[in-house]
């Protein structure tokens, strides 16, 4: 069904979807699921994406300090291993 919306908004949503599907999800599964989950979604080849793009994604992220801690950008709550968002960007 055609949707008659403002195209500027749709482009931003599409770019965000591509970024999340192609980079963030594969990198996150590599960082937070390897060694804990056996699944087709946890693939050792995703480490190549992490090595190639993690620094660029970090540079695109907007982080700010609210006086107490940093906020914004990519956030992670990993209660199983205690890893935070910094683990996403740290290369082995």
């Amino acid at each position: 069904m055609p949707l008659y919306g403002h195209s500027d908004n749709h482009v931003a949503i599409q770019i965000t979807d591509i970024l999340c599907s192609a980079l963030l999800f594969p990198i996150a599964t590599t960082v937070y699921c390897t060694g804990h989950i056996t699944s087709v979604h946890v693939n050792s080849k995703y480490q190549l994406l992490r090595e190639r793009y993690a620094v660029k994604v970090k540079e695109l992220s907007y982080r700010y300090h609210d006086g107490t801690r940093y906020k914004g950008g990519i956030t992670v709550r990993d209660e199983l291993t205690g890893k935070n968002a910094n683990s996403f960007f740290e290369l082995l």
Side-chain angles (χ1 to χ4, degrees):
M1 181 171 165
L3 176 65
Y4 301 104
H6 197 271
S7 63
D8 291 344
N9 187 30
H10 292 236
V11 170
I13 291 171
Q14 290 172 337
I15 290 171
T16 303
D17 182 49
I18 291 168
L19 181 65
C20 290
S21 300
L23 292 176
L24 295 183
F25 179 77
I27 293 172
T29 59
T30 298
V31 174
Y32 303 105
C33 298
T34 300
H36 301 287
I37 298 171
T38 304
S39 169
V40 296
H41 302 292
V42 182
N43 190 326
S44 61
K45 293 180 182 178
Y46 292 157
Q47 181 64 27
L48 297 172
L49 291 173
R50 183 179 181 205
E51 291 169 1
R52 187 175 293 167
Y53 297 109
V55 173
K56 292 178 183 179
V57 170
K58 184 176 184 176
E59 292 171 356
L60 290 173
S61 299
Y62 175 71
R63 308 258 310 152
Y64 63 96
H65 199 269
D66 71 349
T68 315
R69 63 188 181 111
Y70 279 98
K71 292 185 175 183
I74 297 171
T75 59
V76 175
R77 184 175 175 184
D78 183 5
E79 295 182 4
L80 181 63
T81 64
K83 292 181 181 177
N84 58 21
N86 291 332
S87 301
F88 188 93
F89 302 110
E90 294 171 351
L91 298 178
L92 301 174

Coordinates of all heavy atoms in Angstrom, one line a residue:
M1 N 0.8 -1.2 0.0 CA 0.0 0.0 0.0 C 0.9 1.2 0.0 O 1.8 1.4 0.8 CB -0.9 0.0 1.2 CG -1.8 1.1 1.3 SD -2.9 0.8 2.7 CE -3.6 2.4 3.0
P2 N 0.7 2.2 -0.9 CA 1.5 3.4 -0.9 C 1.3 4.2 0.3 O 0.2 4.3 0.8 CB 1.1 4.1 -2.2 CG 0.0 3.3 -2.7 CD -0.3 2.1 -1.9
L3 N 2.4 4.8 0.7 CA 2.3 5.7 1.9 C 2.8 7.1 1.4 O 3.9 7.2 0.9 CB 3.2 5.2 3.0 CG 3.3 6.1 4.2 CD1 2.0 6.2 4.9 CD2 4.4 5.5 5.2
Y4 N 2.0 8.0 1.6 CA 2.3 9.4 1.2 C 2.8 10.2 2.4 O 2.1 10.9 3.1 CB 1.1 10.1 0.6 CG 0.6 9.3 -0.6 CD1 -0.5 8.5 -0.6 CD2 1.4 9.3 -1.8 CE1 -1.0 7.8 -1.7 CE2 0.9 8.6 -2.9 CZ -0.2 7.8 -2.8 OH -0.6 7.1 -3.9
G5 N 4.1 10.0 2.7 CA 4.7 10.7 3.8 C 5.8 11.6 3.3 O 6.2 11.6 2.1
H6 N 6.4 12.3 4.2 CA 7.5 13.2 3.8 C 8.8 12.3 3.6 O 9.2 11.6 4.4 CB 7.8 14.2 4.9 CG 8.6 15.4 4.5 ND1 9.9 15.4 4.5 CD2 8.2 16.6 3.9 CE1 10.4 16.5 4.0 NE2 9.3 17.3 3.7
S7 N 9.3 12.4 2.4 CA 10.4 11.5 1.9 C 11.7 11.8 2.7 O 12.5 10.8 2.9 CB 10.7 11.7 0.5 OG 11.1 13.0 0.2
D8 N 11.9 12.9 3.3 CA 13.2 13.2 4.0 C 13.2 12.3 5.3 O 14.2 11.7 5.6 CB 13.3 14.6 4.5 CG 13.5 15.6 3.3 OD1 13.9 15.1 2.3 OD2 13.3 16.8 3.5
N9 N 12.0 12.1 5.9 CA 12.0 11.2 7.1 C 12.2 9.8 6.7 O 12.8 9.0 7.4 CB 10.6 11.4 7.8 CG 10.5 10.7 9.1 OD1 11.5 10.5 9.7 ND2 9.4 10.2 9.4
H10 N 11.6 9.3 5.6 CA 11.8 7.9 5.2 C 13.2 7.6 4.8 O 13.6 6.5 5.1 CB 10.9 7.7 3.9 CG 9.4 7.8 4.2 ND1 8.5 6.8 4.0 CD2 8.7 8.7 4.8 CE1 7.3 7.1 4.4 NE2 7.4 8.3 4.9
V11 N 13.9 8.5 4.3 CA 15.3 8.2 3.9 C 16.1 7.9 5.2 O 16.9 7.0 5.3 CB 15.9 9.4 3.1 CG1 17.4 9.2 3.0 CG2 15.3 9.4 1.8
A12 N 15.9 8.8 6.2 CA 16.7 8.6 7.5 C 16.3 7.2 8.1 O 17.2 6.6 8.7 CB 16.3 9.7 8.4
I13 N 15.1 6.9 8.1 CA 14.7 5.6 8.6 C 15.3 4.4 7.9 O 15.7 3.4 8.4 CB 13.1 5.5 8.7 CG1 12.6 6.4 9.7 CG2 12.7 4.0 9.0 CD1 11.1 6.6 9.7
Q14 N 15.3 4.5 6.6 CA 15.9 3.5 5.7 C 17.4 3.3 6.0 O 17.9 2.2 6.1 CB 15.6 3.7 4.3 CG 14.2 3.5 3.9 CD 13.9 4.0 2.5 OE1 14.6 4.8 1.9 NE2 12.8 3.4 1.9
I15 N 18.1 4.5 6.1 CA 19.5 4.4 6.4 C 19.8 3.8 7.7 O 20.7 3.0 7.9 CB 20.2 5.8 6.3 CG1 20.2 6.3 4.8 CG2 21.6 5.9 6.8 CD1 20.5 7.8 4.6
T16 N 19.0 4.2 8.7 CA 19.1 3.6 10.1 C 18.9 2.1 10.0 O 19.6 1.3 10.6 CB 18.2 4.3 11.0 OG1 18.4 5.7 11.0 CG2 18.3 3.7 12.4
D17 N 17.9 1.6 9.3 CA 17.6 0.2 9.2 C 18.8 -0.5 8.5 O 19.2 -1.6 9.0 CB 16.3 0.0 8.4 CG 15.9 -1.4 8.3 OD1 15.9 -2.1 9.3 OD2 15.7 -1.9 7.2
I18 N 19.3 0.0 7.5 CA 20.4 -0.6 6.8 C 21.6 -0.7 7.7 O 22.3 -1.8 7.8 CB 20.8 0.1 5.5 CG1 19.7 -0.1 4.5 CG2 22.2 -0.3 4.9 CD1 19.8 0.8 3.3
L19 N 21.9 0.4 8.4 CA 23.1 0.4 9.4 C 22.9 -0.7 10.5 O 23.8 -1.4 10.8 CB 23.2 1.8 10.0 CG 24.4 2.0 10.9 CD1 25.7 1.9 10.2 CD2 24.3 3.4 11.6
C20 N 21.7 -0.7 11.0 CA 21.5 -1.7 12.1 C 21.5 -3.1 11.6 O 22.1 -4.0 12.2 CB 20.1 -1.4 12.8 SG 20.1 0.1 13.7
S21 N 20.9 -3.4 10.5 CA 20.9 -4.8 9.9 C 22.2 -5.3 9.4 O 22.6 -6.4 9.6 CB 19.8 -4.8 8.8 OG 18.6 -4.5 9.2
A22 N 22.9 -4.4 8.8 CA 24.2 -4.8 8.1 C 25.4 -4.7 9.1 O 26.3 -5.5 8.9 CB 24.5 -3.9 6.9
L23 N 25.4 -3.8 10.1 CA 26.6 -3.7 10.9 C 26.3 -3.9 12.4 O 27.0 -4.7 13.0 CB 27.2 -2.3 10.7 CG 27.8 -2.0 9.4 CD1 28.2 -0.5 9.3 CD2 28.9 -2.9 9.1
L24 N 25.4 -3.2 13.0 CA 25.2 -3.2 14.4 C 24.8 -4.6 14.9 O 25.4 -5.1 15.9 CB 24.2 -2.2 14.9 CG 24.6 -0.7 14.7 CD1 23.5 0.2 15.2 CD2 25.9 -0.4 15.3
F25 N 23.8 -5.2 14.3 CA 23.4 -6.5 14.8 C 24.5 -7.6 14.6 O 24.8 -8.3 15.6 CB 22.1 -7.0 14.0 CG 21.7 -8.4 14.5 CD1 21.0 -8.5 15.7 CD2 22.0 -9.5 13.7 CE1 20.6 -9.8 16.1 CE2 21.6 -10.7 14.1 CZ 20.9 -10.9 15.3
P26 N 25.2 -7.7 13.5 CA 26.2 -8.7 13.4 C 27.4 -8.5 14.3 O 27.9 -9.4 14.9 CB 26.7 -8.6 11.9 CG 25.6 -8.0 11.2 CD 24.9 -7.1 12.2
I27 N 27.8 -7.2 14.5 CA 28.9 -6.9 15.4 C 28.5 -7.2 16.9 O 29.2 -7.8 17.6 CB 29.3 -5.4 15.3 CG1 30.0 -5.2 13.9 CG2 30.3 -5.1 16.4 CD1 30.3 -3.8 13.6
A28 N 27.3 -6.9 17.2 CA 26.8 -7.1 18.6 C 26.7 -8.6 18.9 O 27.0 -9.0 20.0 CB 25.4 -6.5 18.8
T29 N 26.2 -9.4 17.9 CA 26.2 -10.9 18.1 C 27.6 -11.4 18.3 O 27.8 -12.3 19.1 CB 25.5 -11.6 17.0 OG1 26.1 -11.4 15.8 CG2 24.0 -11.2 16.9
T30 N 28.6 -10.9 17.6 CA 29.9 -11.4 17.8 C 30.4 -11.0 19.2 O 31.0 -11.9 19.8 CB 30.8 -10.7 16.7 OG1 30.4 -11.1 15.4 CG2 32.3 -11.1 16.9
V31 N 30.2 -9.8 19.6 CA 30.8 -9.3 20.9 C 30.1 -10.0 22.1 O 30.7 -10.5 23.0 CB 30.7 -7.8 21.0 CG1 31.1 -7.3 22.4 CG2 31.5 -7.1 19.9
Y32 N 28.8 -10.0 22.1 CA 28.0 -10.4 23.3 C 27.5 -11.9 23.3 O 27.1 -12.3 24.3 CB 26.9 -9.5 23.5 CG 27.3 -8.0 23.6 CD1 27.2 -7.1 22.5 CD2 28.0 -7.6 24.7 CE1 27.6 -5.8 22.6 CE2 28.5 -6.3 24.8 CZ 28.3 -5.4 23.7 OH 28.8 -4.1 23.8
C33 N 27.5 -12.5 22.1 CA 26.9 -13.9 22.1 C 28.0 -15.0 21.9 O 27.7 -16.1 22.2 CB 25.9 -14.0 21.0 SG 24.5 -12.9 21.3
T34 N 29.1 -14.7 21.3 CA 30.1 -15.7 21.0 C 30.5 -16.4 22.4 O 30.9 -15.7 23.3 CB 31.4 -15.1 20.4 OG1 31.0 -14.5 19.1 CG2 32.4 -16.1 20.1
G35 N 30.5 -17.7 22.3 CA 30.8 -18.5 23.5 C 29.6 -18.7 24.5 O 29.7 -19.5 25.4
H36 N 28.5 -18.1 24.2 CA 27.3 -18.3 25.0 C 26.2 -18.9 24.3 O 25.4 -19.6 24.9 CB 26.9 -16.9 25.6 CG 27.9 -16.3 26.5 ND1 28.2 -16.7 27.7 CD2 28.7 -15.2 26.2 CE1 29.2 -15.9 28.2 NE2 29.5 -15.0 27.3
I37 N 26.1 -18.6 23.0 CA 25.0 -19.1 22.2 C 25.5 -19.7 20.9 O 26.4 -19.2 20.3 CB 24.1 -17.9 21.8 CG1 23.5 -17.3 23.0 CG2 23.0 -18.3 20.8 CD1 22.7 -16.0 22.8
T38 N 24.9 -20.8 20.5 CA 25.3 -21.5 19.2 C 24.0 -21.3 18.3 O 23.0 -21.8 18.6 CB 25.5 -23.0 19.4 OG1 26.6 -23.1 20.4 CG2 25.9 -23.6 18.1
S39 N 24.2 -20.5 17.3 CA 23.1 -20.1 16.4 C 23.7 -19.7 15.1 O 24.9 -19.3 15.0 CB 22.4 -18.9 17.0 OG 21.4 -18.4 16.1
V40 N 22.9 -19.7 14.1 CA 23.3 -19.2 12.7 C 23.5 -17.7 12.8 O 24.2 -17.2 11.9 CB 22.2 -19.5 11.6 CG1 22.1 -21.0 11.5 CG2 20.9 -18.9 12.0
H41 N 23.0 -17.0 13.8 CA 23.2 -15.6 13.9 C 24.5 -15.2 14.5 O 24.9 -14.0 14.5 CB 22.0 -15.0 14.7 CG 20.7 -15.3 14.1 ND1 20.3 -14.7 12.9 CD2 19.7 -16.0 14.5 CE1 19.1 -15.2 12.5 NE2 18.7 -16.0 13.5
V42 N 25.2 -16.2 15.1 CA 26.5 -15.9 15.7 C 27.5 -16.5 14.8 O 27.7 -17.7 14.8 CB 26.6 -16.5 17.1 CG1 27.9 -16.2 17.8 CG2 25.5 -16.0 18.0
N43 N 28.2 -15.7 14.0 CA 29.1 -16.2 13.0 C 30.5 -15.6 13.2 O 30.6 -14.4 13.3 CB 28.5 -15.8 11.6 CG 29.2 -16.5 10.5 OD1 30.4 -16.7 10.5 ND2 28.5 -16.8 9.4
S44 N 31.5 -16.4 13.1 CA 32.9 -15.8 13.3 C 33.3 -14.9 12.2 O 34.1 -14.0 12.4 CB 33.9 -17.0 13.4 OG 33.9 -17.7 12.2
K45 N 32.6 -14.9 11.1 CA 33.0 -14.0 10.0 C 32.5 -12.6 10.3 O 33.0 -11.6 9.7 CB 32.3 -14.5 8.7 CG 32.9 -15.8 8.1 CD 32.2 -16.2 6.9 CE 32.7 -17.5 6.4 NZ 32.1 -18.0 5.2
Y46 N 31.6 -12.4 11.2 CA 31.2 -11.1 11.6 C 32.3 -10.3 12.3 O 32.3 -9.1 12.4 CB 30.0 -11.1 12.6 CG 28.7 -11.6 11.9 CD1 27.7 -12.2 12.7 CD2 28.5 -11.6 10.5 CE1 26.5 -12.6 12.1 CE2 27.4 -12.0 9.9 CZ 26.4 -12.5 10.7 OH 25.2 -13.0 10.1
Q47 N 33.3 -11.0 12.8 CA 34.5 -10.3 13.4 C 35.2 -9.4 12.3 O 35.7 -8.4 12.7 CB 35.5 -11.4 13.9 CG 36.7 -10.8 14.6 CD 36.4 -10.0 15.8 OE1 35.4 -10.2 16.5 NE2 37.2 -9.0 16.1
L48 N 35.1 -9.8 11.1 CA 35.7 -9.0 10.0 C 34.9 -7.6 9.9 O 35.6 -6.6 9.7 CB 35.6 -9.7 8.7 CG 36.4 -11.0 8.6 CD1 36.1 -11.7 7.2 CD2 37.9 -10.7 8.7
L49 N 33.6 -7.7 10.1 CA 32.9 -6.4 10.1 C 33.2 -5.6 11.3 O 33.4 -4.3 11.1 CB 31.4 -6.7 10.1 CG 30.7 -7.3 8.9 CD1 29.3 -7.7 9.2 CD2 30.8 -6.4 7.7
R50 N 33.4 -6.2 12.4 CA 33.8 -5.5 13.6 C 35.2 -4.8 13.4 O 35.4 -3.6 13.7 CB 33.9 -6.4 14.8 CG 34.2 -5.8 16.1 CD 34.2 -6.8 17.2 NE 34.5 -6.2 18.5 CZ 35.0 -6.8 19.5 NH1 35.2 -8.1 19.4 NH2 35.2 -6.2 20.6
E51 N 36.1 -5.5 12.9 CA 37.5 -5.0 12.7 C 37.5 -3.8 11.7 O 38.2 -2.9 11.8 CB 38.4 -6.1 12.2 CG 38.7 -7.1 13.3 CD 39.4 -8.3 12.7 OE1 39.7 -8.4 11.5 OE2 39.7 -9.2 13.5
R52 N 36.6 -4.0 10.7 CA 36.6 -3.0 9.6 C 35.8 -1.7 9.9 O 36.1 -0.6 9.6 CB 36.1 -3.6 8.3 CG 36.2 -2.7 7.1 CD 35.7 -3.4 5.8 NE 36.7 -4.4 5.5 CZ 36.5 -5.4 4.6 NH1 35.3 -5.4 4.0 NH2 37.4 -6.3 4.4
Y53 N 34.7 -1.9 10.7 CA 33.7 -0.8 10.8 C 33.5 -0.3 12.2 O 32.8 0.8 12.4 CB 32.4 -1.2 10.2 CG 32.5 -1.4 8.7 CD1 32.4 -2.7 8.2 CD2 32.7 -0.4 7.8 CE1 32.5 -3.0 6.8 CE2 32.8 -0.6 6.4 CZ 32.7 -1.9 6.0 OH 32.8 -2.1 4.6
A54 N 33.9 -1.0 13.2 CA 33.6 -0.5 14.6 C 34.1 0.9 14.9 O 33.3 1.7 15.5 CB 34.2 -1.5 15.6
V55 N 35.3 1.2 14.5 CA 35.8 2.6 14.7 C 35.0 3.6 14.0 O 34.6 4.7 14.6 CB 37.3 2.6 14.4 CG1 37.8 4.1 14.5 CG2 38.1 1.7 15.2
K56 N 34.6 3.3 12.8 CA 33.8 4.3 12.0 C 32.4 4.5 12.6 O 31.9 5.6 12.6 CB 33.7 3.8 10.5 CG 35.0 3.8 9.8 CD 34.8 3.3 8.4 CE 36.2 3.3 7.7 NZ 36.2 2.8 6.4
V57 N 31.8 3.4 13.1 CA 30.5 3.5 13.8 C 30.6 4.3 15.0 O 29.8 5.1 15.3 CB 29.9 2.1 14.1 CG1 28.7 2.2 14.9 CG2 29.6 1.4 12.8
K58 N 31.7 4.1 15.8 CA 31.9 4.9 17.0 C 32.0 6.4 16.7 O 31.5 7.2 17.4 CB 33.2 4.4 17.7 CG 33.4 5.1 19.0 CD 34.6 4.5 19.8 CE 34.7 5.2 21.1 NZ 35.8 4.6 21.9
E59 N 32.7 6.7 15.6 CA 32.8 8.1 15.2 C 31.5 8.7 14.8 O 31.3 9.9 15.0 CB 33.8 8.2 14.1 CG 35.3 7.9 14.5 CD 36.2 7.8 13.3 OE1 35.8 7.9 12.1 OE2 37.4 7.6 13.6
L60 N 30.6 7.9 14.3 CA 29.2 8.4 13.9 C 28.3 8.6 15.1 O 27.3 9.3 15.0 CB 28.6 7.4 12.9 CG 29.2 7.4 11.5 CD1 28.5 6.3 10.7 CD2 29.0 8.7 10.8
S61 N 28.6 7.9 16.2 CA 27.8 7.9 17.4 C 27.9 9.3 18.1 O 28.9 9.8 18.2 CB 28.1 6.8 18.3 OG 28.0 5.6 17.7
Y62 N 26.7 9.8 18.5 CA 26.7 11.0 19.3 C 26.6 10.6 20.8 O 25.6 10.1 21.2 CB 25.5 11.9 18.9 CG 25.4 13.1 19.7 CD1 26.3 14.1 19.6 CD2 24.4 13.2 20.7 CE1 26.3 15.3 20.4 CE2 24.3 14.4 21.5 CZ 25.2 15.4 21.3 OH 25.2 16.5 22.1
R63 N 27.6 10.9 21.5 CA 27.7 10.7 23.0 C 27.8 12.0 23.7 O 28.5 12.9 23.2 CB 28.8 9.8 23.3 CG 28.9 8.5 22.6 CD 28.5 7.3 23.2 NE 29.0 7.1 24.6 CZ 28.4 6.5 25.5 NH1 27.2 5.9 25.3 NH2 28.9 6.3 26.7
Y64 N 27.2 12.2 24.8 CA 27.3 13.4 25.6 C 27.4 13.1 27.1 O 27.0 12.0 27.5 CB 26.1 14.3 25.3 CG 24.8 13.8 25.7 CD1 24.2 14.1 26.9 CD2 24.1 12.9 24.8 CE1 23.0 13.5 27.3 CE2 22.9 12.4 25.2 CZ 22.3 12.7 26.4 OH 21.1 12.2 26.8
H65 N 27.9 13.9 27.8 CA 28.1 13.8 29.3 C 27.1 14.6 30.0 O 27.0 15.8 29.7 CB 29.5 14.1 29.7 CG 29.9 13.6 31.0 ND1 29.7 14.3 32.2 CD2 30.5 12.4 31.3 CE1 30.1 13.5 33.2 NE2 30.6 12.4 32.7
D66 N 26.3 14.0 30.8 CA 25.2 14.8 31.5 C 25.7 15.3 32.9 O 24.9 15.8 33.7 CB 24.0 14.0 31.6 CG 24.1 12.8 32.6 OD1 25.2 12.6 33.1 OD2 23.0 12.2 33.0
G67 N 27.0 15.2 33.2 CA 27.5 15.7 34.5 C 27.8 14.5 35.4 O 28.6 14.6 36.3
T68 N 27.1 13.3 35.1 CA 27.4 12.1 35.9 C 28.0 11.0 35.1 O 28.9 10.4 35.5 CB 26.0 11.6 36.5 OG1 25.3 12.7 37.0 CG2 26.3 10.6 37.6
R69 N 27.4 10.8 33.9 CA 27.9 9.7 33.0 C 27.7 10.1 31.6 O 26.9 11.0 31.3 CB 27.3 8.4 33.4 CG 25.8 8.4 33.2 CD 25.2 7.1 33.8 NE 23.8 7.1 33.6 CZ 23.1 6.3 32.8 NH1 23.8 5.4 32.1 NH2 21.8 6.4 32.7
Y70 N 28.2 9.3 30.7 CA 28.0 9.4 29.3 C 26.7 8.8 28.9 O 26.3 7.8 29.4 CB 29.1 8.8 28.4 CG 30.3 9.7 28.3 CD1 31.4 9.5 29.2 CD2 30.3 10.7 27.4 CE1 32.5 10.3 29.1 CE2 31.4 11.6 27.4 CZ 32.5 11.4 28.2 OH 33.6 12.2 28.1
K71 N 26.0 9.5 28.0 CA 24.7 9.0 27.4 C 24.7 9.1 25.9 O 25.5 9.8 25.3 CB 23.5 9.8 28.0 CG 23.3 9.6 29.5 CD 22.1 10.3 30.0 CE 21.8 10.0 31.4 NZ 20.6 10.7 31.8
G72 N 23.7 8.5 25.3 CA 23.6 8.5 23.9 C 24.4 7.5 23.2 O 25.1 6.7 23.8
G73 N 24.4 7.5 21.8 CA 25.1 6.5 21.1 C 24.6 5.1 21.2 O 23.4 4.9 21.4
I74 N 25.5 4.2 21.2 CA 25.1 2.8 21.3 C 25.2 2.4 22.8 O 26.2 2.6 23.4 CB 26.0 1.9 20.5 CG1 25.9 2.2 19.0 CG2 25.8 0.4 20.8 CD1 26.9 1.5 18.1
T75 N 24.1 1.9 23.4 CA 24.1 1.5 24.8 C 23.9 0.0 24.9 O 23.2 -0.6 24.0 CB 23.0 2.3 25.5 OG1 21.7 2.0 25.0 CG2 23.3 3.8 25.5
V76 N 24.4 -0.6 25.9 CA 24.3 -2.0 26.1 C 24.0 -2.3 27.6 O 24.6 -1.7 28.4 CB 25.6 -2.7 25.7 CG1 25.5 -4.2 25.9 CG2 25.9 -2.5 24.2
R77 N 23.2 -3.3 27.8 CA 22.9 -3.8 29.1 C 23.1 -5.3 29.1 O 22.2 -6.0 28.7 CB 21.5 -3.4 29.6 CG 21.3 -3.8 31.0 CD 20.0 -3.3 31.5 NE 19.7 -3.8 32.8 CZ 18.6 -3.6 33.5 NH1 17.6 -2.9 32.9 NH2 18.4 -4.1 34.7
D78 N 24.3 -5.8 29.4 CA 24.6 -7.2 29.3 C 24.8 -7.7 30.7 O 25.8 -7.6 31.3 CB 25.8 -7.4 28.5 CG 26.2 -8.9 28.3 OD1 25.4 -9.7 28.7 OD2 27.3 -9.1 27.8
E79 N 23.7 -8.3 31.3 CA 23.8 -8.8 32.7 C 24.5 -10.1 32.8 O 24.9 -10.5 33.8 CB 22.4 -8.8 33.2 CG 21.8 -7.4 33.4 CD 20.4 -7.5 34.0 OE1 19.9 -8.5 34.4 OE2 19.8 -6.4 34.1
L80 N 24.6 -10.8 31.6 CA 25.2 -12.1 31.7 C 26.7 -12.0 31.9 O 27.3 -12.7 32.7 CB 24.9 -12.9 30.4 CG 25.5 -14.3 30.2 CD1 24.9 -15.2 31.3 CD2 25.2 -14.9 28.9
T81 N 27.4 -11.2 31.1 CA 28.8 -11.1 31.2 C 29.3 -9.8 31.8 O 30.5 -9.6 32.0 CB 29.5 -11.2 29.8 OG1 29.1 -10.1 28.9 CG2 29.1 -12.5 29.1
G82 N 28.4 -8.8 31.9 CA 28.8 -7.5 32.5 C 29.5 -6.6 31.5 O 30.0 -5.6 31.9
K83 N 29.5 -6.9 30.2 CA 30.1 -6.1 29.2 C 29.2 -4.9 29.0 O 28.0 -4.9 29.1 CB 30.3 -6.9 27.9 CG 31.3 -8.0 27.9 CD 31.4 -8.7 26.6 CE 32.4 -9.8 26.6 NZ 32.4 -10.5 25.3
N84 N 29.9 -3.8 28.6 CA 29.2 -2.5 28.3 C 29.4 -2.2 26.8 O 29.9 -3.0 26.1 CB 29.6 -1.4 29.2 CG 31.1 -1.1 29.2 OD1 31.8 -1.5 28.2 ND2 31.6 -0.5 30.2
A85 N 29.0 -1.0 26.5 CA 29.1 -0.6 25.1 C 30.6 -0.4 24.6 O 30.8 -0.6 23.4 CB 28.4 0.8 24.8
N86 N 31.5 -0.2 25.5 CA 32.9 -0.1 25.1 C 33.4 -1.4 24.5 O 34.2 -1.4 23.6 CB 33.8 0.3 26.3 CG 33.5 1.7 26.8 OD1 33.1 2.5 26.0 ND2 33.7 1.9 28.0
S87 N 32.8 -2.5 25.0 CA 33.2 -3.8 24.4 C 32.9 -3.9 22.9 O 33.5 -4.7 22.2 CB 32.5 -5.0 25.2 OG 32.8 -4.9 26.5
F88 N 31.9 -3.2 22.5 CA 31.4 -3.2 21.1 C 32.6 -2.7 20.2 O 32.8 -3.1 19.1 CB 30.2 -2.3 21.0 CG 29.5 -2.4 19.6 CD1 28.5 -3.3 19.4 CD2 29.9 -1.5 18.6 CE1 27.9 -3.3 18.2 CE2 29.3 -1.6 17.4 CZ 28.3 -2.5 17.2
F89 N 33.3 -1.7 20.7 CA 34.3 -1.0 19.9 C 35.7 -1.5 20.1 O 36.6 -1.2 19.3 CB 34.2 0.5 20.2 CG 32.9 1.1 19.9 CD1 32.1 1.5 20.9 CD2 32.4 1.2 18.6 CE1 30.8 2.1 20.7 CE2 31.1 1.7 18.3 CZ 30.4 2.1 19.4
E90 N 36.0 -2.1 21.2 CA 37.3 -2.6 21.5 C 37.7 -3.8 20.6 O 36.9 -4.8 20.5 CB 37.5 -3.1 23.0 CG 37.3 -2.0 24.0 CD 37.2 -2.4 25.4 OE1 37.1 -3.7 25.6 OE2 37.2 -1.6 26.3
L91 N 38.8 -3.7 19.9 CA 39.2 -4.8 19.0 C 40.1 -5.7 19.7 O 41.0 -5.2 20.5 CB 39.8 -4.2 17.7 CG 38.9 -3.3 16.9 CD1 39.6 -2.8 15.7 CD2 37.6 -4.1 16.5
L92 N 40.0 -6.9 19.5 CA 40.9 -7.9 20.1 C 42.3 -7.9 19.5 O 42.5 -7.6 18.4 CB 40.3 -9.3 20.0 CG 38.9 -9.5 20.6 CD1 38.4 -10.8 20.3 CD2 39.0 -9.2 22.1

